[in-house]
Amino acid sequence: MASETDQTGAGQHRLQTPEEEHGFRRVRQFSPAHARKLGLTRKNIKGRMDLKEDPEERVRRHKEMELKPLYKELLYTVKHRMGKPSSPHVLADGQMHEYMREAFGMTESEHAALMDKVEKTEPPVYCLKAVVKEAKEILGKDVSGFSDPYCLLTILEDEQETRTRRSKSNQFKFVVKDATSDDRIYQTEIQKKTLNPIWNQTFILEFQKTEGASFHLEMWDKDEEVSLSQKLEEIKTNFNSLKRMIKEAKKEKGTDDFLGNIVIKLQDLHCTDDSWYHLEPRTETYPDRGQCHLNLKFIHKSRDGTLSAGRNAYVNFCGILQQFVHAHISKQKNSAPWKGELCGEAQTLLELYATQNDLSPFLQDLGKWVAYSRLYQSLEVDSSVLLQQLTSIEYHWHQLKLPHQQKQELGDSLHGFLQYGLCLVAKYRDIFPPTPSATPKLHMLLRILVQICKTKAFQELNPAQFDLQDEISEALQTGTEDWFTIKKGLHEPMTKELTEMGSALSRLIMEVQKDIKSNKDVWNRVFFSAVQVDVFTVVYHKFDSLLAKEVMKTLSLMKGHMDLNLAKCLFPVYLNLYAIHKNKAFLQRRGFLELSNFHEDFREAMPYWLNQAFSTTKDRVERAVQVDQLQPLQTGSELIKHSSSAVDLVSCIQPICQLWEQLSWPDPEESFMLMVKITEDVCKIVGSYCQLLKDRVRVLSENSDHSSAINMLCVVVNDLEHLRTHLSKLPSQLNWEGLRSRLANVIADSQFNNTLSSQLQQAQSSLGREIRSALDTLGKQLNTDIETYVRSMSTRRRIPSKSSEDAAAPLMRYLEQELQYMNENLVLENFNSLLTPLWNNSVKILYQTANQHSQQEGQMVFCQRLQYTLQCLEQCFHAEGNGLPLKSLHSDEYKTLKNFLERNSLSSRQIIEKFFQKKASEQRTYSGEKYGAVTLRASYRRPDQRLRVEVLNAVNLIPMDSNGSSDPFVQLCLEPNHVFPEVEPRVTQTKSCDLNPLFDECFEFLISLEQCQAPGACLVVTVLDHDTLSADDFEGEAFLSLSEVTGVSEEDPSSQPDAAPAQIRLPLMHPKPNDVLLKLLESRRGEREAQAFVKKRRQREKQSLEAGQP
């Protein structure tokens, strides 16, 4: 048997790969301090052999010295296999031989030769290693109710068991003692007074063969002789045990009690079995006798030592496992990492070999860790396999103890893997790129490193302090510096020209920027979640130091040699440095950053950048205007009303705005000056574009017809409006408010507005003037045509030859056509801008034309046409709410024109009616009694159609005679005359020398209700001074609208038939000269009725005392 202590003597004969055997093992370069931290105990690597050795000879040597001894061990294991493997598939020896031959690369002849050698070796001693762990719920045989159990173990061959059974008359009385010799029977310790004994004792039971052999275990209760007084004492204390005492008295003294047995055929056992077995009775008296926990394993003793001389079973197990994994990975069809799976043949062979050599689970897991960790460094092995083995080692570390040699090997393996892992961490950029498939591998590697440092094995085997986070941070810094050095060498210019050096620096910084972004977005999550290391902060600080030195070194060489080409190559350098500088916001710990004021080194290049942007934009604008045909753009089915140069101009200005955003100059005062310069450049480009556009339209219009010229002019207006719209967005594009907040404590708001806002306002004003000028040009032609159409509507006839609709139709058709064209070719803002002056000019033309025809014979008809035309124009320009708003249309000029046309469109009788309506309205609002007043009552009886007027008195009349008095009388007249043609005026009696006469006279007028309700119907009350020798003098007049008379205004006057009408006191008025309606009537010289009315009213004006007043 090979025990665990036998396997510790040859640890130095560890299995090696061909590369390791001949000195190709990788050696990680670390500082002495690092080695001390790791507490390295690995021995110095043997001297390397000649690297020029033939590879075929090296492979042959490896096969002879390494593989064939292992192959013989496996052949020996298969030949002397015992027990069933745990694999569900039963494999024949031939299947396992075939797999072994393929895995080890043996030819058939080599296999036959090695098999012949194995056949000649000495067979091992077959053993069953039995570990009696514990039992539970066994029978209590003693008076106390407990037992003192112990176990007897042996293996009985067929002949022994048969012979023993025949010699016994009662097969149920069969015991192990009678079956074999005492030297083949093993006994456990006796556990006192318990029903759940615990032994944990190991026994090695030898046997010849498994066929017909059985494992026997019997459990007995140990009985010892006691005195009579002790038994009586037990009876007193426990009367219930009397029955048990009687039974004890019957049996022979010193005879042990049978508790149960277990019989297992060896052929039914697996290589290793760990189970609870039921204790079987010899009789049916007590069938339930409890259970016993056994661990049974087939092992070899005295295996042939010539198979793999100098190596122990543990080293061989590691070598076999490593070879099987190599073979499995080489047969994989895809490149996926190996996840620890092996075929059934490999699992069976490993299980058989480990079992036969009595390798503990701890040693097996240790061997797997050693093998897998080595394979990880050369093959694609999934990290979860290593993590699983570390977990198993940690579990076993608390349960079992390792021999010294294996402890040393475990410590060296953990150290070596830590070294290798830190090397991988240092080169994580190349080995674990920021891809979804690679980053999980890095995360798992870091978890393995963390798990190694957490294991008790590592902590006990390495008393030196080891901080994994510090080691990883150091590896990251070292790897970052190495990566930076490599990239710097790759981008090193071939010559020492300054522009080449600048370009090389730009490419290097761009690489650094990409790497920082990957660290921030991808790798930082991996490192922080696994080891709580902020890789972004570590790498950023390292790059900050490296870049600061490199930038300072390069720019110091350029100082004093700045030109346009050099500034161009430095621009991407600045942008990339700024992008890196912005990432400082994500740092977990800031500290001092050497690139904080990096912008100061680029002041010399700044003017070149601004001038380059301005000149480039200006050239692009000039080229855009030169190729512009001033035609609206067509994008799919949608018509864009501005031309290509307007779009190009906006695109050209955008890079200047982007330049401001890209620079993001940190210094506030300098950034303000930079903003002033950028705004000034944009405004200059806008002014230049306006001039270029005017020159372009002048050139294209020379050989174009009128409609094409108008179309181009519309496009120009749209281009300027498009530019003005985008120019208004300039403050938001350049983020003026953000700059204003930065300058709050540096520059006053007034200075800010006076400098920047004034520049923008001037540019917008210039654009506005150009737009208005172009719109005026468009409007002039339209105004001329409108005036022509308006004048053509005049007529000299009082009876029109055609209707107002027909007269206005040509003008409306023209306007509809032109406005539709403008609407289609002008953007909405410009179309509305054109409509406003066009409407105002149209109103002005109508008013001027109407005034010019005021003395002509057909003025009324003409004004009716103009009034209809004005209504049509209003509807046209309003366009049901889609055009100009009514508020804009109803200007003061419009209201004046409307009133003028309304008056001049009326007939003479309508004007007379308007005159009396006006007088009645003035009467209602007239205040004071400057010329006296007259009091009367007026009522209308609808049934009789009679108007009753009572003249009561007059007061405060002005003296008209030389004696300072008057002879007043009152004249009542119903007007207008054409409404009351047959009604004669009525006159009161004359009151001599009385300025406050009392008349008290009543008059009745027979008139219809319709006459009373006619427009302008009123009672004219005239007070006159009677003169005998001359015409009567005019005292004053008053106007009472008949609509206000009782009985006319009431719907149901019969409701109060006897009610007396109220007195009405009417102040007397004198007419004022220059009445508009009278002038209008006066102009109609061909109408007798109008002229008679005017003559009458003119005479009254002559008598008026208001003639000299305005």
Side-chain angles (χ1 to χ4, degrees):
M1 183 187 79
S3 65
E4 292 183 11
T5 56
D6 298 331
Q7 301 160 12
T8 62
Q12 64 272 22
H13 298 288
R14 179 176 58 82
L15 179 69
Q16 298 175 336
T17 62
E19 292 81 5
E20 292 176 332
E21 179 184 2
H22 300 294
F24 288 96
R25 292 178 57 208
R26 300 177 184 176
V27 180
R28 309 298 168 198
Q29 298 298 325
F30 285 87
S31 64
H34 188 85
R36 286 196 296 273
K37 285 183 182 180
L38 289 173
L40 296 177
T41 58
R42 186 183 301 276
K43 296 181 180 180
N44 294 333
I45 301 174
K46 299 178 181 180
R48 299 175 181 267
M49 297 182 64
D50 187 6
L51 298 180
K52 297 182 180 180
E53 182 182 2
D54 185 11
E56 294 183 0
E57 177 62 24
R58 188 162 57 247
V59 172
R60 187 194 64 77
R61 179 192 294 272
H62 173 70
K63 193 173 188 178
E64 289 293 331
M65 298 183 64
E66 300 291 342
L67 299 184
K68 287 187 177 181
L70 298 179
Y71 196 80
K72 288 188 290 182
E73 286 283 350
L74 288 177
L75 290 175
Y76 190 85
T77 299
V78 174
K79 178 177 175 57
H80 301 290
R81 62 188 293 190
M82 298 178 294
K84 297 183 292 184
S86 59
S87 173
H89 304 289
V90 179
L91 300 173
D93 293 353
Q95 290 177 280
M96 288 189 283
H97 287 166
E98 182 64 25
Y99 172 76
M100 289 162 47
R101 194 170 64 82
E102 183 178 353
F104 280 79
M106 297 294 175
T107 62
E108 293 185 0
S109 59
E110 289 174 333
H111 171 76
L114 295 175
M115 189 68 188
D116 184 59
K117 291 182 180 179
V118 172
E119 291 288 346
K120 297 178 182 179
T121 57
E122 291 292 329
V125 177
Y126 300 136
C127 302
L128 179 66
K129 183 178 181 181
V131 180
V132 183
K133 295 186 174 181
E134 58 182 324
K136 61 182 179 181
E137 301 175 0
I138 64 175
L139 295 178
K141 290 292 187 175
D142 294 342
V143 177
S144 61
F146 294 99
S147 295
D148 302 325
Y150 67 93
C151 298
L152 297 178
L153 299 85
T154 191
I155 292 179
L156 298 180
E157 310 285 344
D158 263 349
E159 295 180 0
Q160 292 176 316
E161 188 169 354
T162 303
R163 185 172 59 251
T164 304
R165 291 182 182 275
R166 289 174 180 175
S167 64
K168 295 292 182 178
S169 59
N170 189 350
Q171 60 177 347
F172 295 107
K173 295 297 182 180
F174 167 73
V175 295
V176 169
K177 295 177 182 178
D178 303 327
T180 185
S181 59
D182 292 342
D183 59 344
R184 295 181 60 83
I185 299 175
Y186 300 88
Q187 179 180 334
T188 65
E189 297 176 352
I190 301 171
Q191 303 297 326
K192 297 291 187 178
K193 295 182 179 182
T194 179
L195 298 181
N196 299 289
I198 298 176
W199 288 286
N200 284 325
Q201 288 184 260
T202 303
F203 303 93
I204 307 297
L205 289 73
E206 298 181 0
F207 60 92
Q208 296 297 324
K209 56 182 180 177
T210 57
E211 293 80 2
S214 300
F215 167 76
H216 288 256
L217 179 143
E218 291 180 355
M219 190 177 295
W220 295 84
D221 171 41
K222 184 67 175 177
D223 281 342
E224 298 179 357
E225 295 184 8
V226 296
S227 64
L228 181 60
S229 60
Q230 290 177 335
K231 291 186 178 182
L232 290 175
E233 185 66 27
E234 291 178 0
I235 293 174
K236 290 179 182 179
T237 58
N238 191 359
F239 186 76
N240 292 330
S241 63
L242 180 59
K243 183 179 180 180
R244 188 180 300 275
M245 291 293 297
I246 295 173
K247 185 176 179 180
E248 287 286 330
K250 289 182 180 181
K251 72 176 183 179
E252 298 178 5
K253 293 181 178 180
T255 304
D256 297 340
D257 291 321
F258 180 78
L259 296 177
N261 70 341
I262 298 171
V263 179
I264 306 172
K265 291 182 179 181
L266 297 188
Q267 289 181 327
D268 295 337
L269 288 174
H270 289 85
C271 298
T272 300
D273 269 324
D274 191 308
S275 303
W276 285 88
Y277 297 92
H278 289 280
L279 293 170
E280 302 295 337
R282 289 188 299 180
T283 64
E284 299 299 328
T285 307
Y286 299 104
D288 190 5
R289 291 174 174 266
Q291 297 178 352
C292 184
H293 188 190
L294 301 176
N295 181 279
L296 304 176
K297 180 166 64 172
F298 289 112
I299 64 173
H300 286 173
K301 283 176 63 177
S302 304
R303 283 173 68 97
D304 193 306
T306 62
L307 297 173
S308 57
R311 294 198 183 98
N312 59 30
Y314 165 74
V315 174
N316 288 337
F317 177 82
C318 294
I320 294 170
L321 174 63
Q322 189 168 331
Q323 191 64 29
F324 282 169
V325 175
H326 270 289
H328 182 87
I329 295 177
S330 63
K331 289 174 64 177
Q332 282 185 338
K333 296 181 179 180
N334 53 30
S335 59
W338 180 65
K339 296 185 177 181
E341 71 278 359
L342 289 173
C343 63
E345 292 88 343
Q347 294 179 13
T348 300
L349 288 169
L350 288 170
E351 182 182 7
L352 289 175
Y353 185 81
T355 303
Q356 292 175 9
N357 289 276
D358 195 17
L359 293 178
S360 66
F362 195 177
L363 285 176
Q364 293 181 47
D365 287 331
L366 175 60
K368 290 179 181 179
W369 159 257
V370 173
Y372 295 168
S373 62
R374 291 176 190 155
L375 290 170
Y376 183 86
Q377 302 180 30
S378 57
L379 299 175
E380 282 287 326
V381 177
D382 194 278
S383 301
S384 60
V385 178
L386 299 181
L387 197 61
Q388 180 181 356
Q389 295 309 128
L390 278 175
T391 305
S392 300
I393 290 174
E394 181 69 3
Y395 170 76
H396 292 305
W397 187 265
H398 297 282
Q399 308 292 329
L400 303 172
K401 290 186 178 180
L402 278 180
H404 173 73
Q405 186 65 30
Q406 273 68 46
K407 280 187 178 181
Q408 181 178 350
E409 183 166 7
L410 175 59
D412 288 353
S413 177
L414 294 176
H415 297 151
F417 193 83
L418 275 175
Q419 290 185 16
Y420 179 72
L422 290 174
C423 287
L424 295 182
V425 168
K427 299 179 180 180
Y428 70 97
R429 295 173 175 85
D430 302 322
I431 301 174
F432 305 104
T435 60
S437 59
T439 50
K441 298 178 182 179
L442 174 61
H443 186 268
M444 188 60 71
L445 171 65
L446 295 173
R447 285 186 59 193
I448 292 173
L449 299 182
V450 172
Q451 190 63 29
I452 288 176
C453 296
K454 285 183 177 180
T455 57
K456 292 292 183 182
F458 180 79
Q459 294 173 3
E460 293 180 13
L461 296 174
N462 297 273
Q465 293 293 330
F466 181 81
D467 191 324
L468 180 61
Q469 292 181 346
D470 291 344
E471 294 296 331
I472 289 179
S473 297
E474 183 179 344
L476 290 172
Q477 293 181 28
T478 302
T480 300
E481 186 170 358
D482 293 343
W483 179 89
F484 184 84
T485 303
I486 293 173
K487 293 296 182 181
K488 177 182 174 183
L490 290 175
H491 296 294
E492 193 75 27
M494 299 298 293
T495 63
K496 293 300 182 180
E497 293 184 3
L498 294 180
T499 54
E500 289 291 331
M501 295 175 65
S503 300
L505 180 61
S506 174
R507 293 192 296 270
L508 175 61
I509 297 176
M510 188 178 299
E511 293 265 14
V512 173
Q513 180 191 354
K514 292 179 181 178
D515 185 78
I516 289 177
K517 186 177 186 302
S518 298
N519 277 282
K520 177 173 67 71
D521 297 339
V522 181
W523 286 314
N524 196 57
R525 292 196 301 269
V526 177
F527 277 90
F528 197 80
S529 62
V531 291
Q532 284 73 53
V533 171
D534 184 7
V535 65
F536 169 72
T537 300
V538 174
V539 170
Y540 188 92
H541 279 281
K542 190 64 179 177
F543 276 138
D544 179 74
S545 175
L546 295 171
L547 283 177
K549 297 176 183 177
E550 193 65 25
V551 170
M552 186 179 298
K553 173 185 172 183
T554 304
L555 294 183
S556 63
L557 298 175
M558 299 179 179
K559 192 171 183 179
H561 300 84
M562 189 62 60
D563 56 16
L564 180 59
N565 293 330
L566 197 55
K568 283 183 179 180
C569 72
L570 285 181
F571 186 67
V573 174
Y574 176 87
L575 295 183
N576 292 324
L577 282 177
Y578 177 72
I580 293 174
H581 184 67
K582 284 197 302 184
N583 284 317
K584 71 177 182 179
F586 301 98
L587 293 175
Q588 296 300 319
R589 54 180 179 83
R590 292 286 179 89
F592 173 73
L593 295 176
E594 298 183 31
L595 286 176
S596 296
N597 298 319
F598 73 96
H599 65 282
E600 296 178 354
D601 298 324
F602 295 90
R603 286 197 181 101
E604 192 176 356
M606 174 65 71
Y608 292 94
W609 298 342
L610 295 176
N611 293 335
Q612 176 66 21
F614 175 76
S615 59
T616 301
T617 303
K618 188 176 180 181
D619 292 343
R620 290 178 60 187
V621 169
E622 290 177 357
R623 290 195 298 270
V625 175
Q626 288 174 2
V627 299
D628 192 358
Q629 298 300 317
L630 298 181
Q631 296 296 324
L633 292 176
Q634 186 77 28
T635 304
S637 59
E638 182 179 359
L639 180 66
I640 299 177
K641 298 181 180 180
H642 46 260
S643 64
S644 60
S645 64
V647 179
D648 294 338
L649 176 63
V650 174
S651 302
C652 293
I653 293 178
Q654 195 64 28
I656 298 181
C657 301
Q658 290 177 352
L659 176 64
W660 164 257
E661 184 178 356
Q662 289 173 330
L663 293 177
S664 297
W665 200 257
D667 186 87
E669 294 185 16
E670 294 178 358
S671 63
F672 176 71
M673 301 306 298
L674 179 61
M675 177 65 77
V676 172
K677 173 62 176 173
I678 289 177
T679 306
E680 181 183 355
D681 289 346
V682 172
C683 294
K684 286 181 179 179
I685 291 173
V686 169
S688 174
Y689 175 75
C690 292
Q691 186 60 44
L692 291 171
L693 205 60
K694 288 193 294 184
D695 295 341
R696 182 64 177 169
V697 73
R698 190 178 301 112
V699 171
L700 294 178
S701 300
E702 290 178 355
N703 300 321
S704 301
D705 54 13
H706 177 71
S707 60
S708 299
I710 293 295
N711 184 38
M712 285 189 289
L713 193 57
C714 290
V715 173
V716 169
V717 173
N718 294 335
D719 289 345
L720 297 179
E721 183 63 37
H722 181 71
L723 179 57
R724 183 168 65 173
T725 301
H726 282 272
L727 194 62
S728 64
K729 301 177 182 178
L730 188 64
S732 61
Q733 290 178 338
L734 295 178
N735 191 18
W736 281 10
E737 288 303 318
L739 179 61
R740 188 195 302 272
S741 61
R742 290 177 57 198
L743 297 171
N745 300 324
V746 181
I747 297 177
D749 285 347
S750 58
Q751 182 180 356
F752 187 94
N753 294 329
N754 292 337
T755 306
L756 291 179
S757 301
S758 61
Q759 286 182 332
L760 188 60
Q761 289 173 0
Q762 290 176 4
Q764 290 177 325
S765 300
S766 175
L767 281 175
R769 288 192 299 271
E770 295 294 342
I771 291 173
R772 287 192 297 272
S773 174
L775 291 176
D776 290 343
T777 303
L778 287 173
K780 285 179 181 179
Q781 182 64 40
L782 293 176
N783 292 332
T784 302
D785 295 341
I786 290 173
E787 185 174 0
T788 302
Y789 280 106
V790 170
R791 293 186 183 280
S792 67
M793 289 188 288
S794 63
T795 178
R796 295 185 178 276
R797 303 174 183 176
R798 282 188 277 181
I799 300 176
S801 59
K802 55 183 177 180
S803 64
S804 299
E805 291 85 349
D806 295 337
L811 171 63
M812 300 313 300
R813 283 196 298 269
Y814 170 77
L815 274 180
E816 182 179 356
Q817 178 181 356
E818 292 298 323
L819 291 181
Q820 181 179 1
Y821 177 82
M822 296 299 177
N823 186 33
E824 292 176 354
N825 291 275
L826 288 176
V827 295
L828 181 61
E829 295 82 359
N830 291 334
F831 180 68
N832 291 335
S833 300
L834 176 65
L835 285 181
T836 301
L838 186 61
W839 164 257
N840 293 332
N841 287 328
S842 299
V843 172
K844 183 178 179 181
I845 291 171
L846 289 176
Y847 189 75
Q848 291 175 349
T849 307
N851 280 319
Q852 290 173 1
H853 290 73
S854 60
Q855 303 300 324
Q856 295 182 8
E857 183 179 356
Q859 183 198 16
M860 181 185 72
V861 176
F862 183 57
C863 288
Q864 289 175 349
R865 291 178 177 178
L866 292 183
Q867 184 181 19
Y868 176 76
T869 302
L870 180 64
Q871 294 174 355
C872 294
L873 289 175
E874 181 180 356
Q875 295 176 359
C876 178
F877 280 85
H878 184 56
E880 298 181 351
N882 297 318
L884 294 178
L886 292 175
K887 185 177 180 181
S888 300
L889 293 173
H890 295 169
S891 61
D892 294 338
E893 293 80 4
Y894 165 83
K895 294 176 182 178
T896 303
L897 173 64
K898 184 178 180 181
N899 293 332
F900 178 84
L901 294 179
E902 285 179 351
R903 291 194 303 268
N904 286 273
S905 299
L906 298 175
S907 64
S908 297
R909 290 186 173 183
Q910 288 175 330
I911 295 174
I912 293 172
E913 292 171 357
K914 286 284 185 182
F915 175 83
F916 287 109
Q917 287 176 348
K918 177 183 176 183
K919 287 298 182 179
S921 176
E922 290 177 358
Q923 184 69 57
R924 285 191 293 270
T925 60
Y926 188 78
S927 61
E929 296 180 355
K930 179 179 179 181
Y931 303 108
V934 62
T935 303
L936 50 81
R937 286 194 186 100
S939 63
Y940 181 78
R941 289 181 58 83
R942 294 191 182 188
D944 300 338
Q945 294 188 344
R946 292 180 181 275
L947 175 65
R948 180 182 175 87
V949 180
E950 296 183 47
V951 182
L952 301 178
N953 61 2
V955 296
N956 301 326
L957 298 178
I958 57 176
M960 302 299 293
D961 296 338
S962 58
N963 59 3
S965 183
S966 293
D967 303 321
F969 67 93
V970 176
Q971 184 185 53
L972 300 178
C973 184
L974 293 177
E975 294 288 353
N977 185 56
H978 63 270
V979 176
F980 306 98
E982 298 179 357
V983 180
E984 295 294 333
R986 307 294 175 88
V987 180
T988 66
Q989 296 179 0
T990 303
K991 303 296 181 180
S992 300
C993 300
D994 193 351
L995 298 178
N996 296 287
L998 178 63
F999 298 104
D1000 198 15
E1001 296 184 36
C1002 181
F1003 303 93
E1004 289 186 353
F1005 299 89
L1006 185 61
I1007 58 177
S1008 67
L1009 180 63
E1010 288 75 13
Q1011 288 176 306
C1012 294
Q1013 295 176 341
C1018 66
L1019 176 67
V1020 180
V1021 181
T1022 307
V1023 180
L1024 301 169
D1025 173 42
H1026 177 70
D1027 286 336
T1028 304
L1029 299 177
S1030 61
D1032 297 334
D1033 297 324
F1034 178 69
E1035 288 277 357
E1037 63 184 356
F1039 299 86
L1040 175 62
S1041 175
L1042 295 185
S1043 62
E1044 300 175 3
V1045 174
T1046 302
V1048 176
S1049 60
E1050 298 175 2
E1051 293 183 0
D1052 189 11
S1054 62
S1055 59
Q1056 295 179 345
D1058 299 331
Q1063 292 183 3
I1064 303 174
R1065 187 182 179 98
L1066 300 174
L1068 296 177
M1069 302 185 301
H1070 282 221
K1072 294 181 179 181
N1074 301 322
D1075 188 278
V1076 176
L1077 295 176
L1078 290 180
K1079 286 184 177 181
L1080 182 58
L1081 288 172
E1082 192 175 16
S1083 65
R1084 299 182 179 182
R1085 302 184 182 279
E1087 298 184 20
R1088 295 179 181 179
E1089 184 178 2
Q1091 295 303 317
F1093 179 80
V1094 170
K1095 181 179 180 181
K1096 180 180 178 181
R1097 293 308 302 175
R1098 292 300 186 195
Q1099 290 176 354
R1100 189 66 74 200
E1101 287 179 1
K1102 292 179 180 179
Q1103 296 174 338
S1104 173
L1105 299 179
E1106 299 286 335
Q1109 300 180 12

